[in-house]
Amino acid sequence: MFTWSFSSLKDYINCPKQYQEIKILKRFVKYPTEQMLYGNVVHKVCEEYVAEGKPLEENYLRFKPVLDSLIEIPGTKYPEHRMALNYAKEPCQYGKDYWVRGIVDLLIVDGDHAFIIDYKTGSNRYPEPKQLKLMALMTFAHFPEVTVIKAGLLFLMNESFMSEEYTRDRIDKLWRPFEGDLARLQLSYENDVWQANPTPLCGWCPVKSCEFYKEK
């Protein structure tokens, strides 16, 4: 049985061939871009400010008002909170015998309500709330007292927020957007078939042995 995360499933959807070469065969390495590295730094800055009150450096002070508003939300705060589920969709350890796992940038639990915040340093032009659904599903499993979750993508550079709300009675429906892609991934593993998906981004792909690879 394979294991997955939101990012690995997204990699598979983008190109099964690249997924196989990097995740399974490990013949190539996908190095982070400058944008990804900057995003990692900003995530760390936000985590330390919310969790520890570590002062923001001058170039990150623009994030202070929105981070302060998150701090003011009542409840227990779990910055960079790791969660995992086993194949039965039950809570389990993050790094052992898991089926799916993920990290919530900021989880706040207040009684039967919870808040999920996903920091974004990229554009807010094409928001993708699917990751929020997965984090919500894990939260419902790990915090059985929670019945309502308010979740949002916080676009720090644009000072914008895209929100969704989930309730425990809709758990089955929340899983549906993942079922088709997971079924395809399962078939790829079972049949060892990994089709390349050529796109204009092939020039940035590290899998140089692919027939569709071309220099930038």
Side-chain angles (χ1 to χ4, degrees):
M1 176 56 63
F2 63 86
T3 60
W4 64 287
S5 65
F6 178 79
S7 59
S8 68
L9 183 61
K10 188 174 180 179
D11 286 342
Y12 171 78
I13 295 168
N14 288 340
C15 183
K17 181 65 176 177
Q18 185 193 81
Y19 176 97
Q20 180 204 30
E21 293 286 349
I22 295 175
K23 301 285 187 182
I24 301 174
L25 301 178
K26 301 185 185 302
R27 292 197 286 219
F28 298 91
V29 177
K30 188 176 182 179
Y31 293 101
T33 63
E34 289 185 12
Q35 293 85 351
M36 292 168 64
L37 292 172
Y38 176 71
N40 291 338
V41 171
V42 171
H43 275 70
K44 188 65 175 177
V45 167
C46 293
E47 175 192 357
E48 292 177 341
Y49 182 75
V50 173
E52 308 165 15
K54 183 177 179 179
L56 298 171
E57 295 180 11
E58 184 175 354
N59 52 324
Y60 301 119
L61 284 175
R62 59 184 294 187
F63 306 143
K64 187 176 186 302
V66 69
L67 294 178
D68 285 341
S69 68
L70 297 178
I71 292 173
E72 291 173 0
I73 297 175
T76 303
K77 294 172 179 64
Y78 301 89
E80 292 296 308
H81 189 60
R82 298 184 173 193
M83 293 184 288
L85 304 178
N86 60 25
Y87 188 68
K89 299 176 181 176
E90 299 168 338
C92 65
Q93 294 183 31
Y94 181 82
K96 184 179 180 181
D97 299 326
Y98 72 93
W99 173 58
V100 58
R101 68 181 184 180
I103 303 176
V104 179
D105 292 342
L106 177 60
L107 171 65
I108 304 173
V109 178
D110 184 25
D112 61 355
H113 281 64
F115 300 85
I116 290 173
I117 304 297
D118 187 19
Y119 304 127
K120 296 294 184 185
T121 53
S123 170
N124 62 348
R125 194 169 183 179
Y126 302 108
E128 172 53 83
K130 197 172 180 180
Q131 185 174 10
L132 296 176
K133 291 179 172 61
L134 182 59
M135 295 301 102
L137 286 163
M138 289 198 230
T139 300
F140 281 133
H142 281 263
F143 296 86
E145 72 276 18
V146 171
T147 60
V148 178
I149 296 175
K150 293 182 178 179
L153 302 175
L154 177 56
F155 294 92
L156 293 163
M157 311 306 291
N158 307 92
E159 298 182 359
S160 66
F161 189 74
M162 193 223 75
S163 63
E164 294 205 337
E165 183 171 304
Y166 313 115
T167 55
R168 181 173 287 277
D169 61 345
R170 297 171 65 84
I171 284 178
D172 289 344
K173 187 172 183 179
L174 289 175
W175 276 114
R176 288 175 194 165
F178 302 96
E179 291 172 353
D181 294 325
L182 290 173
R184 285 177 52 215
L185 180 54
Q186 179 67 42
L187 286 173
S188 287
Y189 272 100
E190 291 176 354
N191 301 311
D192 196 27
V193 174
W194 310 89
Q195 295 288 344
N197 179 35
T199 74
L201 298 177
C202 286
W204 285 264
C205 179
V207 183
K208 296 184 178 181
S209 62
C210 177
E211 61 181 303
F212 297 106
Y213 176 80
K214 55 185 178 182
E215 293 287 346
K216 296 194 289 280

